[in-house]
Amino acid sequence: MDRDTVSWDEETGSIEFIDQTLLPGEFRVVRSDDIEELAAAIRRLAIRGAPALGVAGAFGVALAVHRSAASNLPDLRQEASRAANLLKMTRPTAVNLAWGIDRVLSRVMAASSIGEAQDAAVREAAAIAAEDVDLCRAIGAHGAALLPETCTVLTHCNAGALACVQWGTALGVIRSALASGKEVSVIACETRPLLQGSRLTAWELAHEGIDVRVIPDSAAAHLMRKGEIDAVVVGADRVTRDAVFNKIGTYMHAVCARHHSIPFYVAAPYSTIDAASAEDDVVIELRSREELAWCGDRQVLPEGVGALNYAFDATPLDLVTAVITERGVFRPPLTLEAMGGAQRII
Amino acid sequence: MDRDTVSWDEETGSIEFIDQTLLPGEFRVVRSDDIEELAAAIRRLAIRGAPALGVAGAFGVALAVHRSAASNLPDLRQEASRAANLLKMTRPTAVNLAWGIDRVLSRVMAASSIGEAQDAAVREAAAIAAEDVDLCRAIGAHGAALLPETCTVLTHCNAGALACVQWGTALGVIRSALASGKEVSVIACETRPLLQGSRLTAWELAHEGIDVRVIPDSAAAHLMRKGEIDAVVVGADRVTRDAVFNKIGTYMHAVCARHHSIPFYVAAPYSTIDAASAEDDVVIELRSREELAWCGDRQVLPEGVGALNYAFDATPLDLVTAVITERGVFRPPLTLEAMGGAQRII
């Protein structure tokens, strides 16, 4: 893409982000210097995707500290904590969000002056953003090696450049495979209810001339059965020691991939792995009925009928062929030892 | 429901049908005396659902004959054949459509005067409609016996009253189970891209006070894993000797149901069974990209990005627990003998 999904504008001391709710109709970069505005943007999914949330959370705390009128360090720390809590509450399932926030918050807590705290916060957030770019490239390289020379890859939701700072995780694997000379076509599941597959994945791939076609989520199994899918690659919002949490529908793809003996890969930053937690420790966000009730201006769900709108589902690790991280490819069983002590990061 | 999905208006000699594209926002009954208009209505899915299509096709041929200005029997027969071909072309996968059309056409061909042909055509079509009501009740009774006393049933698309004349096939099973005193809750998959699950199934069930909640299609596997689904009941557009053709997504549900050891039932009129054909003989209708490109007034698929919009998929019979028809419950393997010579009906 032509610009980062989330970035810091040094000149104005504010955050800039692509408003993903407007895609594909409009490409708009929003600049914000208000923490409440940023929280609202995360809540309405203007910024989404686990790695991008980590970066947005990090810049969010930096913004709070940078904009603070506090005259002493305890007040500044309290303000930073408040901002951190506000931001963490926006998306409870996404582990990267809390992780990015906490990394910056700990710098603020360790600083011995207001000026040092402000500098350190922005520097740490910028470092997280830069690391994200590097790690997506590394995820891409590790994952690309797993794909056949010529293949069609099915993906769900958007684990692309728009979910990160650049390059992407699942789509990073596809970009790296293409860059290495492999021939890759993409089947993007549209991803109900918010259609990140159509709106974001198809948009960012087509923008770069990558071959992509969109299907209803429910058509994936049919294409698998017809032999048209060689691999499934998805992102992850959290990987516990027993399950992958990702966009609702991921589990269905995993079950169907197993039924058809198709490899099912999860591509995610190492920071997504939360090996200290188990599936039962994670609360799955239940989003509003309204996301299923309207199609643009048209009401499609009758008045008074309820909906079950889980944002994520859990895929047990035994259905996952491999988890692709910047530190390498991990194949289940994912023990703490095998993951190199992934429990430390939480 | 308060009125039949498709019916013949004796007074005006025309067809009346509920325009299902307007639901749930508007309940409108359209009256038509034009065969081209009826074909267009079927093409844009104002009338849909295998049994309703059979009845609509039957009344369509009756309409052509009834409205004909032909002055001799050969001309009338030719006109009826033309109408039959026009109507058959509208939805090539649905076997009931051709079946209903051919039943009326054979009456026209056998008649020895214009007046007799007109009478016989309307009578035969009305008989098909009346039979549909009876057979849905019979399907319901057979299917209801298969459900537990208290259960949650997952269904896909709309195999309800709106897909038939009244009562429904898959939803007929649910209605009959409720009528027999069982406690049944329904999970309706919204059914992309045209959302018949939200717009039609949720509408007709809620209208009668039946407990129904809507989910994205991709969430079904997640609910199965959580133990919240006791059975899957779907309709069928065609049952060949090796596969069930039904709305895209049906196969995915069948694979996931098998993975979770949940019974997967297909409820359909006996006329849906085409045991003389195999899966490979059936052409799956590929519908337009536009159905995936727009959400109401909003463009969600970027310009230039293609879509694969299969209307149906094929579920191999070995994933089907039973096929519920008005003649009883058939369990695979569905041989010609076991089905009582089902090949005759084509």
Side-chain angles (χ1 to χ4, degrees):
Chain A
M1 292 197 312
D2 311 329
R3 66 169 298 133
D4 291 353
T5 302
V6 185
S7 56
W8 180 255
D9 184 50
E10 198 62 57
E11 203 171 318
T12 57
S14 51
I15 294 177
E16 290 184 343
F17 60 87
I18 299 168
D19 184 342
Q20 301 187 33
T21 63
L22 303 175
L23 288 171
E26 186 188 347
F27 180 84
R28 189 194 294 172
V29 176
V30 175
R31 181 184 294 166
S32 176
D33 59 10
D34 182 71
I35 195 82
E36 299 275 0
E37 197 173 86
L38 178 67
I42 293 172
R43 237 179 272 118
R44 68 186 177 85
L45 309 188
I47 310 169
R48 31 65 55 200
L53 287 174
V55 174
F59 279 132
V61 177
L63 180 70
V65 172
H66 195 81
R67 292 272 163 180
S68 171
S71 58
N72 59 60
L73 208 47
D75 283 0
L76 185 77
R77 286 174 179 160
Q78 204 172 29
E79 224 167 299
S81 289
R82 250 201 320 268
N85 287 334
L86 171 72
L87 290 166
K88 277 185 194 176
M89 297 294 293
T90 54
R91 302 291 309 278
T93 315
V95 70
N96 294 61
L97 176 61
W99 170 84
I101 288 167
D102 285 339
R103 259 184 70 171
V104 174
L105 191 62
S106 69
R107 291 301 185 121
V108 173
M109 295 307 174
S112 52
S113 75
I114 289 182
E116 192 193 318
Q118 290 176 330
D119 277 3
V122 172
R123 252 201 331 270
E124 187 69 14
I128 293 173
E131 285 165 25
D132 184 70
V133 176
D134 291 344
L135 70 85
C136 280
R137 294 277 182 166
I139 289 169
H142 288 305
L146 299 174
L147 297 183
E149 284 303 315
T150 303
C151 60
T152 300
V153 173
L154 182 127
T155 189
H156 191 68
C157 197
N158 175 266
L162 288 166
C164 304
V165 174
Q166 297 171 14
W167 206 247
T169 52
L171 300 191
V173 169
I174 289 162
R175 285 190 170 94
S176 294
L178 285 161
S180 76
K182 293 185 175 181
E183 285 179 34
V184 185
S185 297
V186 179
I187 297 288
C189 295
E190 59 172 0
T191 316
R192 286 287 293 165
L194 296 179
L195 303 169
Q196 293 92 337
S198 310
R199 295 192 302 103
L200 308 179
T201 293
W203 179 84
E204 68 167 83
L205 294 180
H207 193 67
E208 293 171 20
I210 298 171
D211 179 43
V212 57
R213 283 168 300 168
V214 169
I215 60 168
D217 305 322
S218 71
H222 176 62
L223 294 184
M224 289 180 187
R225 182 160 179 265
K226 284 162 61 86
E228 295 186 15
I229 307 294
D230 300 297
V232 179
V233 186
V234 297
D237 290 79
R238 186 186 291 223
V239 181
T240 60
R241 64 172 171 266
D242 50 0
V244 172
F245 288 82
N246 192 46
K247 179 63 55 203
I248 188 78
T250 301
Y251 173 59
M252 156 193 84
H253 294 312
V255 169
C256 294
R258 172 60 52 91
H259 185 80
H260 296 90
S261 303
I262 294 169
F264 182 87
Y265 299 116
V266 173
Y270 190 76
S271 63
T272 310
I273 298 170
D274 174 13
S277 298
E279 180 187 342
D280 288 347
D281 301 327
V282 179
V283 177
I284 292 186
E285 181 184 353
L286 202 54
R287 294 181 62 87
S288 97
R289 168 193 184 279
E290 297 310 299
E291 292 180 350
L292 286 162
W294 294 87
C295 247
D297 57 344
R298 184 168 184 211
Q299 187 181 352
V300 292
L301 194 61
E303 295 291 343
V305 174
L308 275 175
N309 186 14
Y310 288 103
F312 306 98
D313 58 27
T315 299
L317 283 181
D318 59 15
L319 291 178
V320 177
T321 309
V323 178
I324 305 163
T325 78
E326 71 276 22
R327 298 195 191 176
V329 174
F330 298 93
R331 292 179 190 270
L334 294 188
T335 61
L336 292 185
E337 295 69 31
M339 302 296 294
Q343 80 283 11
R344 278 183 296 108
I345 62 171
I346 299 301
Chain B
M1 293 196 312
D2 312 329
R3 65 170 296 134
D4 291 354
T5 302
V6 185
S7 55
W8 180 257
D9 184 50
E10 198 63 58
E11 202 171 318
T12 58
S14 51
I15 293 177
E16 290 186 342
F17 60 88
I18 299 168
D19 185 342
Q20 301 188 33
T21 63
L22 303 176
L23 288 171
E26 185 187 346
F27 180 86
R28 189 195 295 172
V29 176
V30 175
R31 181 184 295 166
S32 176
D33 59 11
D34 182 72
I35 195 83
E36 299 276 357
E37 197 173 86
L38 178 68
I42 293 172
R43 237 180 271 116
R44 69 185 176 83
L45 310 188
I47 310 168
R48 31 65 54 200
L53 287 174
V55 175
F59 279 132
V61 177
L63 180 69
V65 172
H66 195 81
R67 291 273 162 179
S68 171
S71 57
N72 59 62
L73 206 49
D75 283 1
L76 185 78
R77 287 174 177 158
Q78 205 171 27
E79 224 168 299
S81 289
R82 250 202 319 270
N85 287 334
L86 170 73
L87 291 166
K88 278 186 194 175
M89 297 294 293
T90 54
R91 302 292 309 277
T93 315
V95 69
N96 294 60
L97 176 61
W99 170 84
I101 288 168
D102 285 339
R103 259 184 71 173
V104 175
L105 191 62
S106 69
R107 289 303 183 120
V108 174
M109 294 306 174
S112 53
S113 75
I114 289 181
E116 191 193 320
Q118 290 176 331
D119 277 3
V122 171
R123 252 201 331 270
E124 186 70 14
I128 292 173
E131 285 165 24
D132 184 70
V133 175
D134 291 343
L135 69 85
C136 281
R137 294 278 181 166
I139 288 170
H142 288 304
L146 299 173
L147 297 183
E149 284 303 315
T150 302
C151 60
T152 300
V153 173
L154 182 127
T155 189
H156 190 67
C157 198
N158 175 266
L162 287 166
C164 304
V165 175
Q166 296 172 14
W167 206 245
T169 52
L171 300 192
V173 169
I174 289 162
R175 286 190 170 95
S176 294
L178 285 161
S180 76
K182 294 186 175 181
E183 285 179 34
V184 186
S185 297
V186 179
I187 296 288
C189 295
E190 59 172 359
T191 315
R192 286 287 292 164
L194 296 179
L195 303 168
Q196 292 93 335
S198 311
R199 294 192 301 104
L200 307 180
T201 292
W203 180 83
E204 67 167 83
L205 294 181
H207 192 68
E208 293 171 20
I210 298 172
D211 178 43
V212 57
R213 283 168 300 167
V214 169
I215 60 168
D217 306 322
S218 71
H222 176 61
L223 294 185
M224 288 180 188
R225 183 161 178 263
K226 284 161 61 84
E228 295 187 14
I229 307 294
D230 300 298
V232 179
V233 186
V234 297
D237 289 80
R238 186 185 292 223
V239 181
T240 60
R241 63 171 171 266
D242 49 1
V244 172
F245 288 81
N246 192 46
K247 180 63 55 200
I248 189 79
T250 301
Y251 174 57
M252 158 193 83
H253 294 311
V255 169
C256 294
R258 173 59 52 91
H259 186 80
H260 296 91
S261 303
I262 294 169
F264 182 88
Y265 299 116
V266 174
Y270 190 77
S271 63
T272 311
I273 297 170
D274 173 13
S277 298
E279 179 187 343
D280 290 347
D281 301 328
V282 179
V283 177
I284 292 186
E285 180 184 356
L286 201 54
R287 292 182 62 87
S288 98
R289 168 192 184 279
E290 297 310 299
E291 291 181 351
L292 287 162
W294 294 87
C295 247
D297 58 344
R298 184 165 186 216
Q299 187 180 351
V300 292
L301 193 60
E303 294 292 342
V305 174
L308 275 174
N309 185 15
Y310 289 103
F312 306 97
D313 59 26
T315 299
L317 283 182
D318 59 16
L319 291 178
V320 177
T321 309
V323 178
I324 306 163
T325 78
E326 71 276 21
R327 298 196 192 176
V329 174
F330 297 95
R331 293 179 190 267
L334 294 187
T335 61
L336 291 185
E337 294 70 31
M339 302 295 294
Q343 80 282 13
R344 279 183 295 107
I345 63 170
I346 298 299

